[in-house]
Amino acid sequence: MTRKRIVILGGGMIGSAMAADLKRQDRHDVTVAELRAEVRARLETRHGVATRAADLSRPAAIAELVKGYDFVLGALPSVYGYQTLEAVIGAGKDYCDISFMPENALELDARARAAGVTCVVDCGVAPGVSNAMAGYASTRLDPFQSLEIYVGGLPRERRWPYDYKAGFAPFDVIEEYTRPARIVAHGRVVVKEALSEPERMDFPGVGTLEAFNTDGLRSLVHTLKVPFMKEKTLRYPGHVQLMEAIRETGFFSKEPLQVGDVSVRPLDVLAKLLFPKWTFAEGEADLTVLRVVAGGLEDGRPACYTWDLLDRFDPATGLRSMSRTTAFPATIVAGLMLDGVFRRPGVHAPESLGREPGLLERLLRELAARGVSCHAQAPSRAEEPVAV
Amino acid sequence: MTRKRIVILGGGMIGSAMAADLKRQDRHDVTVAELRAEVRARLETRHGVATRAADLSRPAAIAELVKGYDFVLGALPSVYGYQTLEAVIGAGKDYCDISFMPENALELDARARAAGVTCVVDCGVAPGVSNAMAGYASTRLDPFQSLEIYVGGLPRERRWPYDYKAGFAPFDVIEEYTRPARIVAHGRVVVKEALSEPERMDFPGVGTLEAFNTDGLRSLVHTLKVPFMKEKTLRYPGHVQLMEAIRETGFFSKEPLQVGDVSVRPLDVLAKLLFPKWTFAEGEADLTVLRVVAGGLEDGRPACYTWDLLDRFDPATGLRSMSRTTAFPATIVAGLMLDGVFRRPGVHAPESLGREPGLLERLLRELAARGVSCHAQAPSRAEEPVAV
């Protein structure tokens, strides 16, 4: 097979993990584009990866940059996600992205089809692997009646009072705790308050966690016809109650507050005090938990598919679990795309892959080969068909 | 008996309650000194009390003011407590005060004795009634081995997330949550972190509360020789954990924090957001809980004195419980002093009264006559003398 030239946009936590994985596979040539010189230097010395300087906040610079490559992997902050997707489509390159952009990427589907490029977005763990599982379930269940996704990135050691550290930008965590959560009930989109409806759940190997509403269904609201769907975030018990109290006190507010003779946004004060406490130390262990439960009828009988994914910090590579579980689905899917296994012009979320025969199994097998193991419960089925 | 002229320094929540009580008794003439015109107007119209304007932040103004009166009651914020005590002693007037000054008032004892004036400070509920109980126990127990004081002012209705409103200045509450707590263990003063060692306690009529260390022993550290003494603050369960988390996050800090291009003290931001939520609404019901437990040997047998005080908002007068239970001990003790029942030049905390035969009983009886009832458990005693 011909070696291809891959460029990774962004050399942060996720981009580094992508580069390390592709370098280890050594099936293609890899370059990381990154503005920060010290980040480039670390990538070159620690992972032996080629880098080049580029200002990735400018779509024009991205369009110019990607010309010299066969495939593009996106690992930029969410704020740059949409404009980067547009630029890569405009440049006519296939693309796999994990940026978690706030916009609806599927709106660029027609443009990608017209350009003949295949793009897969939201290709991390959740969104990402969870979407592929949902897509798979949609090929087995008829009707597909309910989908529940539970996901969390956690520090291995619980430290009072937050029992939490952020595997990605802390401001995005607060954003997640603020934005109203869209779930689907009785076939309709229902808006719930973020942090609402906490429920305790036991996870083998982790213990009891608490799941609460966040706005994580994203593309699934549009691509699946399932009457009951929800996505919840997992944290150690107590975290959500504390964050609710912090929110209730007013610290999530972006409205300037007059304090003495200065004006300050409470959220900025919270961020300044809180985010240093939420930052993982170098080498500090984390873990990632994902549970996906899909229910419906299969051959007329009630059936339920359940996947549990539990991944931990890898001391050998120093890669945190959140980096591993976000980066590896993207590098694996990139491999499938480069091998021509998945090639369909347009903008796709990973449920499109999950619908293809054998692709979820292949994704999970390749994740397992990288130490990210997922336990799929044998589908529970009722003995007798039931009337729908 | 001759009518005397009493002046109350300060017409706030406590001063108003003192004035209303003395007016109702109608044994003496009462005047409230107060700078704020609207407060004076309310005192005159609502309680029919005479008032006069005075800047009570100036000791010289107080010295001049009190000349025309026979007795002085203090109801000023803690920050003015010590300088006011000095001014009243200098003017040669007897004085009863509830200001909860941070300084040690007993340092002015010699000056008061030289001037021939009797001053009782810390004369509210706790410090106050609790001190009188401790003084009483010190006349019964030999040795007096342990003293535990539990006190809290609470809203009747619990509201998430703080389950608390402040019966006095919210800044003083945070101060109480910040200042290291001095307790006595094995005869030595031991410093504990504020908010530490929470313990659940059940109170008849209130339910389960949580008690935690605060710096409330004050004069008792100096006036009693008891090897184990502690004072704890009572709140509804959960409050202290939330306040600890808030403190841990850094919001009690008085160090300026750079946030963007402004510098702000985190405590000031917290205060601005929190204190409106901690303010009682007009007519909102509160309650006051006090438990004092004194243990030791009496006639060679183990004995334990326990007092439980539970008081509630009085809808008839509109006086909150915290105002009632703080003001009435002072007006009652003022009455004892004016009647010559307690007269001993010097500066005293209320344990001095409690040591006098019959005075604690009289204080509790007069409190009960004002609707503040206290349940004294019959002292539990072992049947047999034990070796000390």
Side-chain angles (χ1 to χ4, degrees), chain A residues 31 184 203 259 277 282:
Chain A
T31 302
V184 176
F203 282 81
V259 179
K277 298 177 192 293
E282 181 74 24

Side-chain angles (χ1 to χ4, degrees), chain A residues 28 48 74 134 152 162 167 197 229 235 246 254 256 281-282 307 328 337 369:
Chain A
H28 303 287
Y162 291 97
E197 302 179 323
M229 291 196 281
R235 297 286 184 260
I246 294 279
K254 294 175 183 169
E282 181 74 24
W307 293 270
F328 296 166
M337 293 167 75

Side-chain angles (χ1 to χ4, degrees), chain B residues 116-134:
Chain B
V117 300
T118 304
C119 303
V120 178
V121 296
D122 276 1
C123 200
V125 58
V129 176
S130 56
N131 298 55
M133 291 165 173

Side-chain angles (χ1 to χ4, degrees), chain A residues 32-268:
Chain A
V32 177
E34 164 65 47
L35 191 59
R36 295 164 292 179
E38 73 279 11
V39 173
R40 290 200 309 275
R42 196 177 59 215
L43 278 160
E44 287 170 13
T45 55
R46 190 178 294 183
H47 300 290
V49 180
T51 66
R52 55 184 286 183
D55 179 1
L56 304 171
S57 67
R58 293 176 47 242
I62 287 174
E64 182 60 31
L65 168 76
V66 301
K67 276 183 189 166
Y69 299 91
D70 303 307
F71 193 91
V72 185
L73 270 161
L76 291 175
S78 61
V79 65
Y80 302 127
Y82 193 83
Q83 69 185 33
T84 303
L85 176 61
E86 272 188 309
V88 174
I89 292 170
K93 301 295 178 181
D94 286 349
Y95 185 44
C96 185
D97 178 51
I98 59 86
S99 70
F100 197 68
M101 64 191 80
E103 301 87 350
N104 181 5
L106 304 188
E107 287 173 4
L108 295 174
D109 180 58
R111 213 187 295 183
R113 277 190 280 117
V117 301
T118 305
C119 302
V120 178
V121 296
D122 277 1
C123 201
V125 58
V129 177
S130 56
N131 298 54
M133 292 164 173
Y136 172 86
S138 75
T139 66
R140 309 300 298 251
L141 300 172
D142 183 19
F144 185 174
Q145 291 165 326
S146 68
L147 175 67
E148 294 162 19
I149 300 169
Y150 305 94
V151 64
L154 297 165
R156 187 184 64 191
E157 288 181 21
R158 293 179 60 164
R159 294 270 176 77
W160 174 86
Y162 291 97
D163 299 294
Y164 180 65
K165 293 201 172 183
F168 52 100
F171 260 113
D172 280 349
V173 177
I174 299 293
E175 185 63 29
E176 181 178 86
Y177 289 0
T178 309
R179 196 187 309 155
R182 286 162 296 180
I183 70 165
V184 176
H186 302 286
R188 291 187 178 185
V189 173
V190 178
V191 177
K192 300 271 183 176
E193 191 178 40
L195 310 182
S196 62
E197 302 179 323
E199 52 182 315
R200 273 195 296 276
M201 310 185 72
D202 289 341
F203 282 81
V206 182
T208 302
L209 298 177
E210 228 165 9
F212 49 87
N213 286 324
T214 43
D215 189 47
L217 286 176
R218 297 173 65 87
S219 61
L220 296 171
V221 172
H222 311 293
T223 60
L224 289 188
K225 289 269 169 274
V226 178
F228 293 91
M229 291 196 281
K230 61 181 177 183
E231 191 263 10
K232 288 184 143 182
T233 291
L234 293 166
R235 297 286 184 260
Y236 290 117
H239 175 84
V240 64
Q241 287 76 12
L242 180 52
M243 294 315 301
E244 279 189 289
I246 294 279
R247 181 179 65 186
E248 173 67 15
T249 307
F251 283 114
F252 285 9
S253 170
K254 294 175 183 169
E255 288 299 310
L257 182 77
Q258 196 65 31
V259 179
D261 50 5
V262 305
S263 176
V264 68
R265 303 193 321 166
L267 179 60
D268 294 334

Side-chain angles (χ1 to χ4, degrees), chain B residues 12-43:
Chain B
M13 288 192 293
I14 313 298
S16 297
M18 288 174 173
D21 184 52
L22 293 174
K23 185 80 189 168
R24 198 181 54 77
Q25 304 284 322
D26 197 28
R27 296 179 59 212
H28 304 286
D29 296 327
V30 189
T31 302
V32 177
E34 164 65 46
L35 191 60
R36 295 164 292 180
E38 72 280 9
V39 173
R40 290 200 308 276
R42 195 176 59 216
L43 279 160

Side-chain angles (χ1 to χ4, degrees), chain B residues 148-201:
Chain B
E148 295 163 18
I149 299 169
Y150 305 95
V151 64
L154 298 164
R156 188 182 65 191
E157 288 181 21
R158 294 179 58 162
R159 295 268 175 78
W160 174 86
Y162 291 96
D163 298 294
Y164 180 64
K165 294 200 171 182
F168 51 101
F171 260 113
D172 280 350
V173 177
I174 299 292
E175 185 63 29
E176 181 179 84
Y177 289 1
T178 308
R179 197 187 308 155
R182 286 161 297 179
I183 70 164
V184 177
H186 302 285
R188 293 188 177 183
V189 174
V190 178
V191 177
K192 301 272 185 176
E193 191 179 41
L195 310 183
S196 63
E197 302 180 321
E199 51 182 315
R200 273 195 297 276
M201 312 185 72

